[in-house]
Amino acid sequence: MAPFGRLETLCPELYEHHLPLQTWPESINQVNKTALLTWMKETGIDLVQINGQRRYGGPPPGWVGDAPPTGSEVFIGKLPQDVYEDTLIPLFQSVGKLYEFRLMMTFSGLNRGFAYAKYGSRHSAKVAVSALNNFEVRKGCSILVCKSTEKCELSMDGLAASLSRKHLEVLLQEAAEGILSVTLYPSPFQKRAQLAVLKYSSHRAAAMAKKSLMEGNKRISEEDLRVEWLKPDLKQKLRCSEGKSSATWVPRVKCPGSPKEVHAPLSPVLGKALELLDALCRRRRLGTPLFFTKCVQVNRNGWLRFWCQVVIPGHPVPLSGFTWVQQDMAGASGHDKAKDMLAMQVLSVLGREVA
């Protein structure tokens, strides 16, 4: 816990670890693992392992501009389990500029037989499908390459009828990052149970959450939970019963489309929101707010996109979301501006709770 009044920035190294050879079982596929580490050293490419997947890029070094649009990712299947990024990344880079490459991994250090490659454009993704589907990565081993569906919604069935939405939000925040909204419905499949629809900020965030929830669902319920991608027919069925649902979401600030939007009028609270929030928490004896921020994107117009979270000891759930701030050469840093924007949103939330 930080000292009183101190704001801290989230350090991604707490949740990510880079690739050490000694963490792999020594006896499995040692030759290819050694070849991978040699290739990494020669190319300077950095791979980061997070919860069962190994990632390059997202964005890669030197990337300028926004993240690629939806439809820029391809799914890669039927991979031999002993093939690694030293073979796959050069292959998929040969047809277009890669933004991100993710290889799904087992605990033994073998891959799980599939991966995802995200390109800088939809056109490059189409070229990859045309050029690399049924490509032989080695003799007799043809791979599958097709457009990724990039689903962002999960369904979680079998939740206790007594489980509150706020309690579920806390558990989901602990399980994985990127949750945007939670909607609870009476389960259409089980008596005296609830079904939750979870919406995430990206397909990757949803996939990570799905894996985490499936492996650790005993933390949420003593009963067996079904965590699946939200099916279209179930989504339609739930929409027809929306009067019985209970939903919550974190407001998200959209990316400014042009410099003209810089001149939009600002709230007079902005710039003093941190002080006001700190004073309000002291007055209500909620404890000192602790902020976490992480810059996740930079666009060509000089805007920075931040993921932000504030934990208030006396508040039942952390509050988080995404915001855009403009980069400048003087004055407050982007992290400070992001904290101030989040503080202003939190002031609004706490005000509604009292009203």
Side-chain angles (χ1 to χ4, degrees):
M1 185 66 69
F4 181 81
R6 183 178 174 185
L7 306 177
E8 293 196 349
T9 300
L10 182 64
C11 179
E13 285 78 13
L14 295 176
Y15 302 97
E16 302 175 352
H17 60 275
H18 297 260
L19 187 66
L21 178 61
Q22 61 268 23
T23 62
W24 295 349
E26 293 292 334
S27 60
I28 299 177
N29 200 26
Q30 192 63 37
V31 173
N32 286 6
K33 291 172 182 175
T34 302
L36 171 63
L37 292 175
T38 301
W39 171 79
M40 290 171 59
K41 185 175 180 180
E42 291 174 351
T43 60
I45 283 181
D46 193 22
L47 302 178
V48 178
Q49 179 130 359
I50 312 174
N51 295 336
Q53 63 175 266
R54 207 158 59 205
R55 188 185 76 211
Y56 158 75
W63 183 270
V64 178
D66 296 338
T70 302
S72 303
E73 187 174 76
V74 299
F75 171 81
I76 307 155
K78 298 170 65 176
L79 289 171
Q81 284 193 278
D82 60 348
V83 69
Y84 296 127
E85 291 89 345
D86 55 322
T87 297
L88 297 172
I89 288 179
L91 174 63
F92 282 86
Q93 279 181 330
S94 69
V95 297
K97 187 174 182 181
L98 275 180
Y99 175 80
E100 182 182 67
F101 189 90
R102 295 182 289 129
L103 182 62
M104 305 301 117
M105 302 298 297
T106 68
F107 290 111
S108 69
L110 296 172
N111 78 62
R112 293 170 58 195
F114 66 100
Y116 296 88
K118 180 171 283 191
Y119 286 91
S121 67
R122 295 188 184 100
H123 174 72
S124 294
K126 290 180 181 178
V127 172
V129 172
S130 299
L132 299 177
N133 187 38
N134 292 320
F135 181 86
E136 283 195 355
V137 292
R138 65 172 63 136
K139 190 170 182 179
C141 294
S142 298
I143 60 174
L144 167 71
V145 181
C146 61
K147 182 180 176 183
S148 172
T149 55
E150 299 190 60
K151 299 175 182 177
C152 297
E153 292 180 301
L154 302 175
S155 65
M156 181 190 294
D157 192 24
L159 295 166
S162 59
L163 181 66
S164 71
R165 191 186 65 211
K166 285 190 174 182
H167 187 199
L168 178 59
E169 288 170 17
V170 173
L171 297 171
L172 292 172
Q173 292 272 3
E174 294 173 354
E177 294 182 2
I179 185 74
L180 295 182
S181 69
V182 180
T183 309
L184 281 174
Y185 300 88
S187 172
F189 309 110
Q190 301 184 47
K191 292 182 178 179
R192 295 183 295 278
Q194 296 185 93
L195 181 145
V197 172
L198 317 175
K199 186 171 183 179
Y200 285 84
S201 58
S202 66
H203 174 73
R204 185 178 77 190
M208 298 289 284
K210 182 174 181 286
K211 181 177 184 298
S212 177
L213 292 168
M214 289 176 69
E215 291 178 351
N217 58 26
K218 290 296 181 183
R219 293 163 47 194
I220 294 179
S221 173
E222 293 303 319
E223 306 298 328
D224 289 334
L225 297 181
R226 289 180 57 191
V227 182
E228 302 175 321
W229 295 108
L230 181 61
K231 297 174 182 176
D233 56 341
L234 175 59
K235 187 173 184 177
Q236 182 61 37
K237 185 175 182 178
L238 294 174
R239 279 179 176 172
C240 295
S241 62
E242 279 190 345
K244 301 177 183 178
S245 68
S246 172
T248 183
W249 59 90
V250 177
R252 302 180 70 197
V253 180
K254 293 184 178 180
C255 172
S258 70
K260 294 178 182 177
E261 296 189 39
V262 175
H263 303 295
L266 298 175
S267 163
V269 175
L270 191 59
K272 297 183 178 179
L274 289 170
E275 296 176 20
L276 292 172
L277 178 61
D278 195 55
L280 178 62
C281 289
R282 283 201 306 270
R283 201 161 54 242
R284 295 192 191 172
R285 298 180 181 178
L286 297 176
T288 303
L290 179 62
F291 284 81
F292 303 95
T293 62
K294 181 180 179 181
C295 184
V296 296
Q297 188 179 337
V298 180
N299 79 0
R300 62 177 61 91
N301 295 325
W303 288 81
L304 308 175
R305 186 174 185 237
F306 281 86
W307 172 84
C308 314
Q309 184 180 75
V310 60
V311 177
I312 301 174
H315 195 269
V317 294
L319 300 167
S320 62
F322 293 85
T323 189
W324 288 89
V325 299
Q326 190 179 24
Q327 187 176 23
D328 55 28
M329 300 304 294
S333 70
H335 288 275
D336 289 336
K337 289 184 176 182
K339 291 170 186 174
D340 212 54
M341 290 287 289
L342 180 59
M344 189 168 62
Q345 293 283 349
V346 173
L347 284 167
S348 175
V349 170
L350 293 177
R352 289 199 302 271
E353 290 178 355
V354 173

PDB file of all heavy atoms in Angstrom, residues 130-158:
ATOM      1  N   SER A 130      -4.800 -15.820 -47.826  1.00  0.00           N
ATOM      2  CA  SER A 130      -4.629 -16.328 -49.194  1.00  0.00           C
ATOM      3  C   SER A 130      -3.291 -17.038 -49.380  1.00  0.00           C
ATOM      4  O   SER A 130      -3.207 -18.080 -50.026  1.00  0.00           O
ATOM      5  CB  SER A 130      -4.737 -15.172 -50.206  1.00  0.00           C
ATOM      6  OG  SER A 130      -5.990 -14.554 -50.133  1.00  0.00           O
ATOM      7  N   ALA A 131      -2.230 -16.452 -48.791  1.00  0.00           N
ATOM      8  CA  ALA A 131      -0.885 -16.971 -49.038  1.00  0.00           C
ATOM      9  C   ALA A 131      -0.501 -18.140 -48.140  1.00  0.00           C
ATOM     10  O   ALA A 131       0.272 -19.013 -48.560  1.00  0.00           O
ATOM     11  CB  ALA A 131       0.133 -15.843 -48.874  1.00  0.00           C
ATOM     12  N   LEU A 132      -1.017 -18.165 -46.901  1.00  0.00           N
ATOM     13  CA  LEU A 132      -0.483 -19.107 -45.912  1.00  0.00           C
ATOM     14  C   LEU A 132      -1.436 -20.216 -45.485  1.00  0.00           C
ATOM     15  O   LEU A 132      -1.004 -21.136 -44.793  1.00  0.00           O
ATOM     16  CB  LEU A 132       0.000 -18.332 -44.678  1.00  0.00           C
ATOM     17  CG  LEU A 132       1.122 -17.321 -44.938  1.00  0.00           C
ATOM     18  CD1 LEU A 132       1.470 -16.561 -43.667  1.00  0.00           C
ATOM     19  CD2 LEU A 132       2.357 -18.012 -45.508  1.00  0.00           C
ATOM     20  N   ASN A 133      -2.714 -20.131 -45.857  1.00  0.00           N
ATOM     21  CA  ASN A 133      -3.603 -21.240 -45.528  1.00  0.00           C
ATOM     22  C   ASN A 133      -3.146 -22.493 -46.280  1.00  0.00           C
ATOM     23  O   ASN A 133      -2.877 -22.447 -47.483  1.00  0.00           O
ATOM     24  CB  ASN A 133      -5.047 -20.905 -45.906  1.00  0.00           C
ATOM     25  CG  ASN A 133      -6.019 -21.965 -45.432  1.00  0.00           C
ATOM     26  OD1 ASN A 133      -5.857 -22.528 -44.344  1.00  0.00           O
ATOM     27  ND2 ASN A 133      -7.034 -22.241 -46.233  1.00  0.00           N
ATOM     28  N   ASN A 134      -3.016 -23.593 -45.573  1.00  0.00           N
ATOM     29  CA  ASN A 134      -2.509 -24.873 -46.100  1.00  0.00           C
ATOM     30  C   ASN A 134      -1.015 -24.841 -46.403  1.00  0.00           C
ATOM     31  O   ASN A 134      -0.502 -25.750 -47.079  1.00  0.00           O
ATOM     32  CB  ASN A 134      -3.282 -25.312 -47.347  1.00  0.00           C
ATOM     33  CG  ASN A 134      -4.722 -25.684 -47.025  1.00  0.00           C
ATOM     34  OD1 ASN A 134      -4.988 -26.306 -45.995  1.00  0.00           O
ATOM     35  ND2 ASN A 134      -5.645 -25.290 -47.886  1.00  0.00           N
ATOM     36  N   PHE A 135      -0.312 -23.841 -45.888  1.00  0.00           N
ATOM     37  CA  PHE A 135       1.141 -23.782 -46.064  1.00  0.00           C
ATOM     38  C   PHE A 135       1.806 -24.867 -45.212  1.00  0.00           C
ATOM     39  O   PHE A 135       1.417 -25.108 -44.065  1.00  0.00           O
ATOM     40  CB  PHE A 135       1.655 -22.397 -45.646  1.00  0.00           C
ATOM     41  CG  PHE A 135       3.142 -22.216 -45.812  1.00  0.00           C
ATOM     42  CD1 PHE A 135       3.665 -21.809 -47.012  1.00  0.00           C
ATOM     43  CD2 PHE A 135       4.004 -22.467 -44.747  1.00  0.00           C
ATOM     44  CE1 PHE A 135       5.037 -21.625 -47.170  1.00  0.00           C
ATOM     45  CE2 PHE A 135       5.375 -22.294 -44.890  1.00  0.00           C
ATOM     46  CZ  PHE A 135       5.894 -21.878 -46.107  1.00  0.00           C
ATOM     47  N   GLU A 136       2.807 -25.534 -45.783  1.00  0.00           N
ATOM     48  CA  GLU A 136       3.526 -26.578 -45.050  1.00  0.00           C
ATOM     49  C   GLU A 136       4.666 -25.953 -44.245  1.00  0.00           C
ATOM     50  O   GLU A 136       5.665 -25.517 -44.813  1.00  0.00           O
ATOM     51  CB  GLU A 136       4.089 -27.632 -46.010  1.00  0.00           C
ATOM     52  CG  GLU A 136       3.054 -28.614 -46.522  1.00  0.00           C
ATOM     53  CD  GLU A 136       3.684 -29.847 -47.156  1.00  0.00           C
ATOM     54  OE1 GLU A 136       4.927 -29.886 -47.284  1.00  0.00           O
ATOM     55  OE2 GLU A 136       2.943 -30.766 -47.526  1.00  0.00           O
ATOM     56  N   VAL A 137       4.505 -25.888 -42.921  1.00  0.00           N
ATOM     57  CA  VAL A 137       5.581 -25.350 -42.090  1.00  0.00           C
ATOM     58  C   VAL A 137       6.733 -26.342 -41.977  1.00  0.00           C
ATOM     59  O   VAL A 137       7.859 -25.970 -41.654  1.00  0.00           O
ATOM     60  CB  VAL A 137       5.082 -24.961 -40.685  1.00  0.00           C
ATOM     61  CG1 VAL A 137       4.155 -23.766 -40.752  1.00  0.00           C
ATOM     62  CG2 VAL A 137       4.399 -26.132 -39.996  1.00  0.00           C
ATOM     63  N   ARG A 138       6.424 -27.588 -42.210  1.00  0.00           N
ATOM     64  CA  ARG A 138       7.436 -28.638 -42.382  1.00  0.00           C
ATOM     65  C   ARG A 138       6.771 -29.744 -43.198  1.00  0.00           C
ATOM     66  O   ARG A 138       5.549 -29.755 -43.345  1.00  0.00           O
ATOM     67  CB  ARG A 138       7.968 -29.142 -41.050  1.00  0.00           C
ATOM     68  CG  ARG A 138       6.972 -29.837 -40.177  1.00  0.00           C
ATOM     69  CD  ARG A 138       7.635 -30.476 -38.965  1.00  0.00           C
ATOM     70  NE  ARG A 138       8.255 -29.453 -38.122  1.00  0.00           N
ATOM     71  CZ  ARG A 138       8.156 -29.431 -36.805  1.00  0.00           C
ATOM     72  NH1 ARG A 138       7.449 -30.379 -36.197  1.00  0.00           N
ATOM     73  NH2 ARG A 138       8.734 -28.504 -36.082  1.00  0.00           N
ATOM     74  N   LYS A 139       7.551 -30.646 -43.722  1.00  0.00           N
ATOM     75  CA  LYS A 139       7.024 -31.648 -44.639  1.00  0.00           C
ATOM     76  C   LYS A 139       5.898 -32.452 -43.981  1.00  0.00           C
ATOM     77  O   LYS A 139       6.050 -33.013 -42.899  1.00  0.00           O
ATOM     78  CB  LYS A 139       8.138 -32.592 -45.079  1.00  0.00           C
ATOM     79  CG  LYS A 139       7.718 -33.506 -46.227  1.00  0.00           C
ATOM     80  CD  LYS A 139       8.889 -34.258 -46.806  1.00  0.00           C
ATOM     81  CE  LYS A 139       8.442 -35.131 -47.977  1.00  0.00           C
ATOM     82  NZ  LYS A 139       9.582 -35.857 -48.584  1.00  0.00           N
ATOM     83  N   GLY A 140       4.745 -32.431 -44.641  1.00  0.00           N
ATOM     84  CA  GLY A 140       3.593 -33.178 -44.155  1.00  0.00           C
ATOM     85  C   GLY A 140       2.759 -32.458 -43.124  1.00  0.00           C
ATOM     86  O   GLY A 140       1.760 -33.007 -42.652  1.00  0.00           O
ATOM     87  N   CYS A 141       3.126 -31.218 -42.751  1.00  0.00           N
ATOM     88  CA  CYS A 141       2.385 -30.447 -41.726  1.00  0.00           C
ATOM     89  C   CYS A 141       1.861 -29.145 -42.328  1.00  0.00           C
ATOM     90  O   CYS A 141       2.572 -28.127 -42.370  1.00  0.00           O
ATOM     91  CB  CYS A 141       3.273 -30.146 -40.524  1.00  0.00           C
ATOM     92  SG  CYS A 141       3.761 -31.602 -39.592  1.00  0.00           S
ATOM     93  N   SER A 142       0.635 -29.189 -42.831  1.00  0.00           N
ATOM     94  CA  SER A 142      -0.002 -27.993 -43.400  1.00  0.00           C
ATOM     95  C   SER A 142      -0.796 -27.286 -42.313  1.00  0.00           C
ATOM     96  O   SER A 142      -1.531 -27.933 -41.555  1.00  0.00           O
ATOM     97  CB  SER A 142      -0.925 -28.378 -44.557  1.00  0.00           C
ATOM     98  OG  SER A 142      -0.195 -28.980 -45.591  1.00  0.00           O
ATOM     99  N   ILE A 143      -0.686 -25.975 -42.247  1.00  0.00           N
ATOM    100  CA  ILE A 143      -1.381 -25.208 -41.212  1.00  0.00           C
ATOM    101  C   ILE A 143      -2.673 -24.609 -41.750  1.00  0.00           C
ATOM    102  O   ILE A 143      -2.856 -24.461 -42.972  1.00  0.00           O
ATOM    103  CB  ILE A 143      -0.483 -24.091 -40.630  1.00  0.00           C
ATOM    104  CG1 ILE A 143      -0.051 -23.097 -41.728  1.00  0.00           C
ATOM    105  CG2 ILE A 143       0.716 -24.688 -39.934  1.00  0.00           C
ATOM    106  CD1 ILE A 143       0.700 -21.897 -41.193  1.00  0.00           C
ATOM    107  N   LEU A 144      -3.551 -24.275 -40.849  1.00  0.00           N
ATOM    108  CA  LEU A 144      -4.808 -23.593 -41.177  1.00  0.00           C
ATOM    109  C   LEU A 144      -4.651 -22.117 -40.856  1.00  0.00           C
ATOM    110  O   LEU A 144      -4.215 -21.752 -39.765  1.00  0.00           O
ATOM    111  CB  LEU A 144      -5.948 -24.180 -40.353  1.00  0.00           C
ATOM    112  CG  LEU A 144      -7.265 -23.393 -40.323  1.00  0.00           C
ATOM    113  CD1 LEU A 144      -7.963 -23.489 -41.675  1.00  0.00           C
ATOM    114  CD2 LEU A 144      -8.187 -23.909 -39.220  1.00  0.00           C
ATOM    115  N   VAL A 145      -5.002 -21.238 -41.794  1.00  0.00           N
ATOM    116  CA  VAL A 145      -4.997 -19.789 -41.560  1.00  0.00           C
ATOM    117  C   VAL A 145      -6.325 -19.235 -42.057  1.00  0.00           C
ATOM    118  O   VAL A 145      -6.687 -19.405 -43.226  1.00  0.00           O
ATOM    119  CB  VAL A 145      -3.828 -19.084 -42.287  1.00  0.00           C
ATOM    120  CG1 VAL A 145      -3.848 -17.586 -41.992  1.00  0.00           C
ATOM    121  CG2 VAL A 145      -2.488 -19.689 -41.878  1.00  0.00           C
ATOM    122  N   CYS A 146      -7.070 -18.594 -41.156  1.00  0.00           N
ATOM    123  CA  CYS A 146      -8.359 -18.026 -41.531  1.00  0.00           C
ATOM    124  C   CYS A 146      -8.604 -16.748 -40.730  1.00  0.00           C
ATOM    125  O   CYS A 146      -7.888 -16.463 -39.767  1.00  0.00           O
ATOM    126  CB  CYS A 146      -9.495 -19.015 -41.306  1.00  0.00           C
ATOM    127  SG  CYS A 146      -9.687 -19.538 -39.585  1.00  0.00           S
ATOM    128  N   LYS A 147      -9.597 -16.001 -41.115  1.00  0.00           N
ATOM    129  CA  LYS A 147      -9.927 -14.758 -40.423  1.00  0.00           C
ATOM    130  C   LYS A 147     -10.368 -15.051 -38.990  1.00  0.00           C
ATOM    131  O   LYS A 147     -11.160 -15.956 -38.736  1.00  0.00           O
ATOM    132  CB  LYS A 147     -11.051 -14.028 -41.162  1.00  0.00           C
ATOM    133  CG  LYS A 147     -11.431 -12.688 -40.548  1.00  0.00           C
ATOM    134  CD  LYS A 147     -12.541 -12.019 -41.336  1.00  0.00           C
ATOM    135  CE  LYS A 147     -12.997 -10.725 -40.676  1.00  0.00           C
ATOM    136  NZ  LYS A 147     -14.119 -10.092 -41.398  1.00  0.00           N
ATOM    137  N   SER A 148      -9.857 -14.285 -38.033  1.00  0.00           N
ATOM    138  CA  SER A 148     -10.243 -14.449 -36.638  1.00  0.00           C
ATOM    139  C   SER A 148     -11.586 -13.770 -36.394  1.00  0.00           C
ATOM    140  O   SER A 148     -11.859 -12.692 -36.930  1.00  0.00           O
ATOM    141  CB  SER A 148      -9.181 -13.829 -35.718  1.00  0.00           C
ATOM    142  OG  SER A 148      -9.624 -13.808 -34.385  1.00  0.00           O
ATOM    143  N   THR A 149     -12.427 -14.404 -35.583  1.00  0.00           N
ATOM    144  CA  THR A 149     -13.745 -13.829 -35.294  1.00  0.00           C
ATOM    145  C   THR A 149     -13.668 -12.671 -34.305  1.00  0.00           C
ATOM    146  O   THR A 149     -14.560 -11.842 -34.239  1.00  0.00           O
ATOM    147  CB  THR A 149     -14.685 -14.904 -34.730  1.00  0.00           C
ATOM    148  OG1 THR A 149     -14.063 -15.515 -33.593  1.00  0.00           O
ATOM    149  CG2 THR A 149     -14.974 -15.971 -35.771  1.00  0.00           C
ATOM    150  N   GLU A 150     -12.619 -12.625 -33.484  1.00  0.00           N
ATOM    151  CA  GLU A 150     -12.403 -11.533 -32.525  1.00  0.00           C
ATOM    152  C   GLU A 150     -13.626 -11.291 -31.629  1.00  0.00           C
ATOM    153  O   GLU A 150     -14.095 -10.175 -31.462  1.00  0.00           O
ATOM    154  CB  GLU A 150     -12.001 -10.236 -33.240  1.00  0.00           C
ATOM    155  CG  GLU A 150     -10.703 -10.366 -34.015  1.00  0.00           C
ATOM    156  CD  GLU A 150     -10.164  -9.048 -34.514  1.00  0.00           C
ATOM    157  OE1 GLU A 150      -9.888  -8.177 -33.685  1.00  0.00           O
ATOM    158  OE2 GLU A 150     -10.028  -8.897 -35.732  1.00  0.00           O
ATOM    159  N   LYS A 151     -14.152 -12.362 -31.064  1.00  0.00           N
ATOM    160  CA  LYS A 151     -15.285 -12.227 -30.149  1.00  0.00           C
ATOM    161  C   LYS A 151     -14.846 -11.522 -28.864  1.00  0.00           C
ATOM    162  O   LYS A 151     -13.718 -11.694 -28.414  1.00  0.00           O
ATOM    163  CB  LYS A 151     -15.841 -13.604 -29.796  1.00  0.00           C
ATOM    164  CG  LYS A 151     -16.360 -14.391 -30.994  1.00  0.00           C
ATOM    165  CD  LYS A 151     -16.782 -15.782 -30.566  1.00  0.00           C
ATOM    166  CE  LYS A 151     -17.254 -16.597 -31.762  1.00  0.00           C
ATOM    167  NZ  LYS A 151     -17.594 -17.992 -31.360  1.00  0.00           N
ATOM    168  N   CYS A 152     -15.756 -10.743 -28.278  1.00  0.00           N
ATOM    169  CA  CYS A 152     -15.428  -9.974 -27.069  1.00  0.00           C
ATOM    170  C   CYS A 152     -16.388 -10.221 -25.918  1.00  0.00           C
ATOM    171  O   CYS A 152     -16.274  -9.567 -24.877  1.00  0.00           O
ATOM    172  CB  CYS A 152     -15.420  -8.473 -27.392  1.00  0.00           C
ATOM    173  SG  CYS A 152     -14.171  -7.989 -28.589  1.00  0.00           S
ATOM    174  N   GLU A 153     -17.352 -11.139 -26.090  1.00  0.00           N
ATOM    175  CA  GLU A 153     -18.363 -11.355 -25.055  1.00  0.00           C
ATOM    176  C   GLU A 153     -18.371 -12.811 -24.595  1.00  0.00           C
ATOM    177  O   GLU A 153     -18.278 -13.734 -25.405  1.00  0.00           O
ATOM    178  CB  GLU A 153     -19.750 -10.968 -25.570  1.00  0.00           C
ATOM    179  CG  GLU A 153     -19.918  -9.479 -25.800  1.00  0.00           C
ATOM    180  CD  GLU A 153     -21.301  -9.128 -26.306  1.00  0.00           C
ATOM    181  OE1 GLU A 153     -21.676  -9.647 -27.376  1.00  0.00           O
ATOM    182  OE2 GLU A 153     -22.014  -8.360 -25.636  1.00  0.00           O
ATOM    183  N   LEU A 154     -18.505 -12.989 -23.277  1.00  0.00           N
ATOM    184  CA  LEU A 154     -18.584 -14.315 -22.673  1.00  0.00           C
ATOM    185  C   LEU A 154     -19.921 -14.476 -21.966  1.00  0.00           C
ATOM    186  O   LEU A 154     -20.518 -13.500 -21.504  1.00  0.00           O
ATOM    187  CB  LEU A 154     -17.470 -14.513 -21.645  1.00  0.00           C
ATOM    188  CG  LEU A 154     -16.022 -14.371 -22.101  1.00  0.00           C
ATOM    189  CD1 LEU A 154     -15.088 -14.496 -20.893  1.00  0.00           C
ATOM    190  CD2 LEU A 154     -15.670 -15.395 -23.162  1.00  0.00           C
ATOM    191  N   SER A 155     -20.366 -15.722 -21.844  1.00  0.00           N
ATOM    192  CA  SER A 155     -21.504 -16.039 -20.974  1.00  0.00           C
ATOM    193  C   SER A 155     -20.989 -16.915 -19.844  1.00  0.00           C
ATOM    194  O   SER A 155     -20.143 -17.790 -20.048  1.00  0.00           O
ATOM    195  CB  SER A 155     -22.610 -16.765 -21.743  1.00  0.00           C
ATOM    196  OG  SER A 155     -22.177 -18.034 -22.192  1.00  0.00           O
ATOM    197  N   MET A 156     -21.483 -16.671 -18.641  1.00  0.00           N
ATOM    198  CA  MET A 156     -21.098 -17.447 -17.454  1.00  0.00           C
ATOM    199  C   MET A 156     -22.371 -17.909 -16.770  1.00  0.00           C
ATOM    200  O   MET A 156     -23.093 -17.105 -16.175  1.00  0.00           O
ATOM    201  CB  MET A 156     -20.248 -16.575 -16.512  1.00  0.00           C
ATOM    202  CG  MET A 156     -19.784 -17.313 -15.257  1.00  0.00           C
ATOM    203  SD  MET A 156     -19.035 -16.206 -14.053  1.00  0.00           S
ATOM    204  CE  MET A 156     -17.581 -15.706 -14.935  1.00  0.00           C
ATOM    205  N   ASP A 157     -22.656 -19.195 -16.881  1.00  0.00           N
ATOM    206  CA  ASP A 157     -23.908 -19.732 -16.352  1.00  0.00           C
ATOM    207  C   ASP A 157     -23.631 -20.570 -15.102  1.00  0.00           C
ATOM    208  O   ASP A 157     -22.583 -21.198 -14.978  1.00  0.00           O
ATOM    209  CB  ASP A 157     -24.586 -20.602 -17.412  1.00  0.00           C
ATOM    210  CG  ASP A 157     -26.019 -20.949 -17.023  1.00  0.00           C
ATOM    211  OD1 ASP A 157     -26.617 -20.190 -16.232  1.00  0.00           O
ATOM    212  OD2 ASP A 157     -26.528 -21.971 -17.506  1.00  0.00           O
ATOM    213  N   GLY A 158     -24.594 -20.554 -14.171  1.00  0.00           N
ATOM    214  CA  GLY A 158     -24.488 -21.346 -12.951  1.00  0.00           C
ATOM    215  C   GLY A 158     -24.120 -20.547 -11.730  1.00  0.00           C
ATOM    216  O   GLY A 158     -23.761 -21.109 -10.697  1.00  0.00           O
TER     217      GLY A 158
END
